[in-house]
């Protein structure tokens, strides 16, 4: 399904909240100590390295489920995103006439 010659990866933006959780743009929340400090991991037959959370397997299974290593039969581009047990609720805010979304 995925092209063999093109690397593929997801990048999620987020921020650290006062309660000590890193919350990404989808609302998935993880204790900051699972994210930082990041580590370098060789990927794609060690052809290059990327920065990943220091407990990346916990973050991946918290996001995509415990069976994240089993290919999704539906072959959706991003698979399924769970985050049900660790999801924050979105809260709309208006700052300087610009609408923004933060996480509670």
């Amino acid at each position: 399904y995925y092209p063999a010659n093109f690397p593929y990866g997801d990048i999620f933006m987020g921020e650290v909240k006062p309660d000590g959780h890193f919350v990404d743009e989808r609302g998935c929340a993880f204790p900051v100590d699972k994210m930082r400090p990041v580590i370098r991991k060789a990927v794609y037959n060690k052809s290059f390295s990327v920065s990943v959370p220091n407990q990346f397997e916990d973050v991946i299974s918290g996001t995509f489920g415990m069976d994240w290593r089993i290919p999704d039969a539906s072959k959706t581009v991003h698979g399924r995103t769970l985050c049900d047990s660790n999801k924050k609720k979105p809260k709309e805010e208006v700052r300087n006439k610009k609408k923004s979304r933060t996480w509670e």
Side-chain angles (χ1 to χ4, degrees):
Y1 177 72
Y2 299 108
N5 55 345
F6 294 109
Y8 179 84
D10 290 324
I11 298 173
F12 298 108
M13 303 301 289
E15 63 182 328
V16 177
K17 294 297 187 177
D19 68 357
H21 283 81
F22 174 86
V23 182
D24 71 21
E25 64 205 43
R26 301 160 303 157
C28 294
F30 297 96
V32 75
D33 63 350
K34 287 189 182 283
M35 305 296 283
R36 292 182 180 164
V38 296
I39 59 172
R40 297 290 289 174
K41 196 82 174 144
V43 295
Y44 288 93
N45 205 17
K46 299 183 180 181
S47 59
F48 65 96
S49 296
V50 295
S51 295
V52 298
N54 66 39
Q55 296 178 35
F56 64 92
E57 289 192 7
D58 290 348
V59 173
I60 293 170
S61 62
T63 302
F64 299 107
M66 296 301 289
D67 60 348
W68 65 271
R69 291 178 187 266
I70 301 168
D72 185 357
S74 68
K75 297 193 187 270
T76 60
V77 176
H78 292 284
R80 57 192 164 84
T81 301
L82 300 175
C83 296
D84 293 336
S85 63
N86 60 336
K87 194 157 192 156
K88 299 277 186 176
K89 296 177 188 173
K91 177 175 71 173
E92 298 288 333
E93 290 184 353
V94 177
R95 293 183 193 163
N96 300 328
K97 299 182 182 178
K98 289 186 178 182
K99 196 175 190 180
S100 66
R101 186 161 73 172
T102 60
W103 304 97
E104 297 184 83

